[in-house]
Amino acid sequence: MRSRKIVGRVLFYLLVAFIVVYTVFPFYWAIVSSLKAGSGLFQVEFWPANPAWDNYVGVFQGQPFGRNILNSVIVAVSVVVLSLFLAVTASYSLGRVRFRGRTTLLLVVLSVSMFPQVAVLSGMFELIRWLGLYNNLLGLILSYMIFTLPFTVWVLTTFMRELPKELEEAAIVDGASPWVVITRVFLPLMGPALATTGLLAFIAAWNEFLFALSFTLSNEMRTVPVAIALITGTSQFELPWGNIMAASVIVTVPLLVLVMIFQRKIVSGLTAGAVKG
Amino acid sequence: MTTVYDAGRATNPAARGGAAAPQDSLLTRRRRRAAWLFLAPMILVLALVAGWPLLRTIYFSFTDATLYDLEYHEFIGLLNFYYLAIDPHWWRAVWNTVFFAVVSVSIETVLGMVIALTLNTHMPGRGLLRAAMLIPWAIPTVVSAQMWGWMYHDLYGVINEIFLFVGLIDQPRAWIADPDLSMYAVIAVDVWKTTPFMTLLILAALQLLPGEVYEAARVDGINPVKVFFKVTLPLIKPALMVAIIFRTLDALRIFDLMYVLTGNSRATASMSVYARQQLVDFQDVGYGSAASTFLFLIIAAFTVIYITVGKVNFDQGGK
């Protein structure tokens, strides 16, 4: 009985170890590969014998990668700020005021968050061209609202519902208008919710690929995912894998740091967005 | 201002008569007006970026518009849909998408369940493990596609190396180029990337389960496997269903993974890849829009299922 228990424990920890290796290894491998220079890349070594930063330097030389990072930051931050701004007032209405058509509106918002992006591609293309925003970061900011806005509205509405009723009542008794209620009473309480929702929206915008690929043309206007997908080498047949891995690590590390700091909040944000519905 | 709200009214019974009712409804009306005012910008933006482009896409699907000049097009009725229906490449894309969605979501569900159950037991370093789970989820899809593309490399890839070492294969394989293997290679990346999401959702459901039931089961000496199927599974089923449908929706509209890992290859092209190829690479907006519209209809059907099965509770809270 006792030995069976020990075997069980050992198997259990083997499973845990396997899960960890499976989850972490690809990223570990990207880091290891990014530190190998020259022909070292083409030998399978699980630890780089002579770590070198050549790839990290190289990635900024062949293409405007610094500019690409800046583009991604500009787009993602703008999208988050805009979405949160629009979503705070909207979620107050959807979460705390009863009015006819509210359920329908919530359903519409939810449906939009399910949209396959390709379904609006041609219409969006026309719109962006018509507004003169093709190959312009503003075009990306505008188009990204299609997935960040429904998401932020949805999660913040769930949050708004749970705020205590008494707070609002007290403010109304004191003669506060709905605008004052939102900005003075609720907004200070929403810090954590705004941070979580904002971070998740930021990640979504940072990672977006289809619109960024379709609505930009020049290297200078590309966002990071498009730049990474389109890195090409000196010859058509030889991809500069070292550079690609270095670029991959560069764009992932800040995200990972953010995610690790906010991990608890992110988990609750994810479940609020999906399970609670 | 004495009594405008329920709370205030309760403390001041004198105002409860005829005076309070119209005042109350005035407040309600004012709140409603404010609510619509607050909603207007959001509705406007959504109409602009979602409603209008969707309507235009559906409209384009009945025309022969090209990307070169969107303005000059003619209405051609259902012709695009007819061509779509007889295009074997399109049906291949439909099959690819469905196969991808079914296989990857099934694996993710089982794997997610196993990992969630593991994480749900009391053990040292659980928080660390949960943090590690977030790594694949946080990595952009394009980046994971590139990372795995390198690992899959036919000559220098680590996957071939490991598999050869373990003895799973006897010669290096071209995981991406081989049409028989590429779909499985794509699925493996998706499983790696999105199982954490599934795990987190299942874990959240598991942690809400009442501990007493398990205590009782243990005292009665019931087999853990039986406990899982008779107690745990039924209890987390609603959350599980929502997670599965959520993931399926995501899988059905997949684009970036295939596009980056295998390009426009017929063996793995999803419906989104096919539609974009027609639209952008071949400049055929009408035909591409027809494919997009078809995908939209499929997703819409699934969304209806999500909303029904998820029993999204709209009328909770609010006033």
Side-chain angles (χ1 to χ4, degrees), chain B residues 15-78:
Chain B
R16 197 180 280 179
Q23 238 176 2
D24 218 333
S25 69
L26 181 74
L27 179 79
T28 314
R29 257 185 294 158
R30 206 186 290 151
R31 268 165 64 90
R32 272 190 201 138
R33 208 172 324 127
W36 281 109
L37 209 65
F38 289 157
L39 283 167
M42 188 269 292
I43 295 174
L44 217 68
V45 173
L46 274 192
L48 183 71
V49 299
W52 175 252
L54 179 69
L55 290 179
R56 289 300 285 175
T57 301
I58 295 173
Y59 166 77
F60 280 135
S61 69
F62 298 110
T63 70
D64 61 357
T66 64
L67 201 60
Y68 177 69
D69 193 342
L70 279 173
E71 268 179 52
Y72 291 90
H73 54 254
E74 273 173 42
F75 191 79
I76 55 167
L78 288 169

Side-chain angles (χ1 to χ4, degrees), chain A residues 123-143 215-217 221, chain B residues 48 52 70-71:
Chain A
M124 189 78 87
F125 195 87
E126 188 196 29
L127 180 74
I128 281 182
R129 253 196 198 173
W130 183 71
L131 292 170
L133 296 178
Y134 183 68
N135 200 30
N136 185 322
L137 296 183
L138 282 175
L140 293 188
I141 295 171
L142 181 72
S143 58
F215 302 150
T216 57
L217 194 65
M221 282 300 153
Chain B
L48 183 71
W52 175 252
L70 279 173
E71 268 179 52

Side-chain angles (χ1 to χ4, degrees), chain A residues 96 98 122 126 168-169, chain B residues 5 31 56 146 289 319:
Chain A
R96 305 199 67 93
R98 234 178 227 296
S122 45
E126 188 196 29
E168 193 181 358
E169 283 170 358
Chain B
Y5 211 70
R31 268 165 64 90
R56 289 300 285 175
Q146 291 285 37
S289 297
K319 285 192 282 290

Side-chain angles (χ1 to χ4, degrees), chain A residues 72-93:
Chain A
S72 276
V73 171
I74 293 173
V75 171
V77 169
S78 317
V79 165
V80 168
V81 171
L82 269 172
S83 305
L84 286 182
F85 181 74
L86 294 173
V88 166
T89 52
S91 66
Y92 168 80
S93 305

Side-chain angles (χ1 to χ4, degrees), chain A residues 199-215:
Chain A
L199 184 62
L200 288 171
F202 180 89
I203 292 176
W206 182 270
N207 296 352
E208 203 283 333
F209 181 64
L210 178 62
F211 287 168
L213 177 73
S214 311
F215 302 150

Side-chain angles (χ1 to χ4, degrees), chain A residues 26 34 62 82 97 108 126 195 221 242 246 251-252 268:
Chain A
S34 71
L82 269 172
V97 185
V108 169
E126 188 196 29
M221 282 300 153
V251 301
T252 309
S268 56

Side-chain angles (χ1 to χ4, degrees), chain A residues 9 12-13 15-16 19-20 22-27 29-30 33 41-42 44 46 86 89-90 92-103 105-107 109-127 129 131 142-143 145-146 149-150 153-154 161-162 165 168-169 172-173 175 178-179 182 200 203 206-207 209-210 213-214 225 228-230 241 244-245 248 251-252 255-256 259-260 263-264 266-267 270-271 273-277, chain B residues 1-2 4-8 27 30-32 34-36 38-39 41-43 45-46 48-54 56-57 60 67-70 111 114-115 118 121-124 127 129-143 146-151 153 156-158 161-162 188 191-192 195-197 200-201 204 239 242 246 249 253 255-256 259-260 272 275-276 279-280 285 289 292 295-296 299 303 306-307 312-319:
Chain A
R9 282 271 104 176
F12 177 78
Y13 281 108
L15 178 69
V16 172
I19 293 170
V20 174
Y22 172 67
T23 331
V24 180
F25 182 76
F27 187 58
W29 192 243
S33 305
L41 191 61
F42 304 114
V44 176
F46 288 88
L86 294 173
T89 52
Y92 168 80
S93 305
L94 289 169
R96 305 199 67 93
V97 185
R98 234 178 227 296
F99 58 88
R100 200 180 303 171
R102 188 177 67 145
T103 310
L105 207 54
L106 272 166
L107 274 172
V109 171
L110 182 65
S111 315
V112 173
S113 72
M114 308 283 177
F115 262 31
Q117 275 173 266
V118 83
V120 294
L121 198 62
S122 45
M124 189 78 87
F125 195 87
E126 188 196 29
L127 180 74
R129 253 196 198 173
L131 292 170
L142 181 72
S143 58
M145 300 300 279
I146 195 179
L149 193 53
V153 168
W154 191 255
R161 275 180 189 158
E162 272 147 34
K165 194 171 157 188
E168 193 181 358
E169 283 170 358
I172 290 175
V173 169
W179 174 251
I182 296 177
L200 288 171
I203 292 176
W206 182 270
N207 296 352
F209 181 64
L210 178 62
L213 177 73
S214 311
I228 289 184
L230 301 182
W241 285 108
I244 295 176
M245 290 303 112
S248 300
V251 301
T252 309
L255 278 189
L256 285 186
V259 166
M260 290 305 141
Q263 57 147 313
R264 279 186 185 281
I266 283 182
V267 173
L270 279 179
T271 45
V275 172
K276 269 197 201 158
Chain B
M1 256 185 106
T2 45
V4 283
Y5 211 70
D6 303 47
L27 179 79
R30 206 186 290 151
R31 268 165 64 90
R32 272 190 201 138
W36 281 109
F38 289 157
L39 283 167
M42 188 269 292
I43 295 174
V45 173
L46 274 192
L48 183 71
V49 299
W52 175 252
L54 179 69
R56 289 300 285 175
T57 301
F60 280 135
L67 201 60
Y68 177 69
D69 193 342
L70 279 173
L111 213 56
V114 170
I115 301 178
T118 313
T121 56
H122 291 283
M123 59 167 177
L129 205 57
R130 203 173 66 168
M133 289 303 304
L134 282 167
I135 294 178
W137 172 82
I139 294 178
T141 311
V142 171
V143 170
Q146 291 285 37
M147 275 167 31
W148 281 81
W150 170 234
M151 290 181 17
H153 199 282
Y156 314 112
V158 69
E161 200 74 23
I162 294 176
V191 166
W192 175 77
T195 299
F197 179 80
L200 292 176
L201 295 194
V242 171
F246 207 80
L249 275 168
R253 52 187 175 177
F255 170 78
D256 29 9
Y259 186 84
V260 176
S272 287
R276 186 187 180 276
L279 245 157
V280 180
V285 171
S289 297
S292 307
L295 175 61
F296 170 75
I299 301 264
T303 306
Y306 172 78
I307 290 169
V312 186
N313 47 349
F314 289 109
D315 279 310
Q316 185 198 63
K319 285 192 282 290

